[in-house]
Amino acid sequence: MNIFINGRLLLALVLACYSAFSWAGLVTTIAKIKPSIVAVGSYHPTGSPRSVFSGTGFVVGDGSLVVTNYHVVPSDLNPTKREQLVIFVGKGSQPKVYDAKVIASDRVHDLAVLKIEGIKLTPLRLGNDKAIQEGQSIAFTGYPIGAVLGLYAATHTGIISAITPIATPQISSAQLTPQMLKQLRKPYQVFQLDATAYPGNSGSPVYNTDTGQVIGVINKVFIQGSREAAITNPSGISYAIPIRYVKALLK
């Protein structure tokens, strides 16, 4: 009996130590990730408000490139009114604003690469998503509620709950939209996450909690709209685009 009790205590102690070690590692990883997280939006010199938040992005490459979702990039900017695509850098209610331009885009995978003017930031390392397995621990950092209270990057954790095609066949052909038909002809796999992302998280990096290497990009609108178009009340499941498509775009 004493051996059994001691064995249970030892197991509990080992699990507690492992849990503490894991969280300590995540704390360190988040501290390294945050300086590379930026907000994407637009600046209107004569508008009210002047700054408009669209989504999250993260720095890669030489420190002057930002990856985000294509749908996050404002599409209705008026150059005659000096409306400009910008990147917001910093924390709180008065972040620094830098002009940006789109230098590459991939509408199929809903990705865009932006070039920042006037500053270089700390880039994130891109990992290998081909080795990803279901059940693997992940985290993502971004701006889930935008800039309502200022820019304060938040981190969510979870696991890869499934690796699944972006579009799934419906029960009847009447439920298929033209976009879903196009995706079914040439489907690609995405990561389904057991973690809650919000619209402002679109463009956030999904990374390995131990190494900080980016394995995917949160997509809250494009993918969810494709997979859950036939659901009356969307489940709120989160998805991420594998980083391999970012690497291809950067080339």
Side-chain angles (χ1 to χ4, degrees):
M1 179 63 72
N2 289 336
I3 295 176
F4 178 69
I5 294 175
N6 290 338
R8 292 178 60 183
L9 290 175
L10 179 60
L11 177 60
L13 181 61
V14 170
L15 291 175
C17 290
Y18 176 77
S19 178
F21 177 78
S22 298
W23 280 109
L26 180 58
V27 168
T28 301
T29 300
I30 291 174
K32 294 179 180 178
I33 293 290
K34 277 195 170 184
S36 305
I37 305 301
V38 300
V40 180
S42 57
Y43 182 74
H44 312 254
T46 59
S48 181
R50 292 184 179 182
S51 299
V52 178
F53 171 88
S54 299
T56 302
F58 59 96
V59 181
V60 299
D62 65 354
S64 68
L65 302 179
V66 170
V67 173
T68 188
N69 289 153
Y70 181 81
H71 79 261
V72 165
V73 179
S75 60
D76 56 350
L77 298 178
N78 188 338
T80 61
K81 295 183 179 180
R82 295 186 296 162
E83 296 177 351
Q84 176 67 34
L85 170 65
V86 296
I87 299 298
F88 302 98
V89 180
K91 179 180 178 180
S93 59
Q94 295 183 327
K96 294 182 178 180
V97 182
Y98 296 92
D99 290 346
K101 60 181 179 181
V102 179
I103 62 170
S105 61
D106 177 357
R107 298 190 185 191
V108 173
H109 302 103
D110 194 32
L111 295 169
V113 177
L114 315 180
K115 177 79 171 180
I116 317 174
E117 299 178 9
I119 189 175
K120 286 192 175 183
L121 302 170
T122 304
L124 295 181
R125 293 179 299 159
L126 305 185
N128 178 12
D129 62 64
K130 293 182 179 180
I132 299 303
Q133 297 181 341
E134 295 177 355
Q136 179 174 328
S137 296
I138 56 90
F140 57 88
T141 301
Y143 302 105
I145 60 171
V148 175
L149 302 175
L151 291 179
Y152 296 95
T155 299
H156 302 262
T157 61
I159 63 169
I160 302 289
S161 58
I163 301 175
T164 176
I166 181 175
T168 54
Q170 302 300 315
I171 297 175
S172 69
S173 59
Q175 295 176 320
L176 291 171
T177 65
Q179 183 182 15
M180 294 169 71
L181 283 170
K182 183 179 179 180
Q183 289 165 347
L184 283 171
R185 293 191 189 101
K186 194 176 180 181
Y188 63 92
Q189 292 187 320
V190 295
F191 300 137
Q192 181 175 313
L193 310 179
D194 181 25
T196 303
Y198 299 88
N201 277 123
S202 289
S204 299
V206 179
Y207 51 89
N208 185 302
T209 55
D210 295 325
T211 65
Q213 291 187 341
V214 183
I215 60 171
V217 183
I218 288 290
N219 190 300
K220 189 57 183 174
V221 176
F222 185 78
I223 295 176
Q224 185 170 357
S226 301
R227 288 187 56 82
E228 301 186 3
I231 301 177
T232 303
N233 297 309
S235 64
I237 295 172
S238 300
Y239 301 96
I241 304 165
I243 203 65
R244 72 188 71 171
Y245 301 114
V246 172
K247 289 182 174 180
L249 189 58
L250 288 171
K251 292 180 180 180

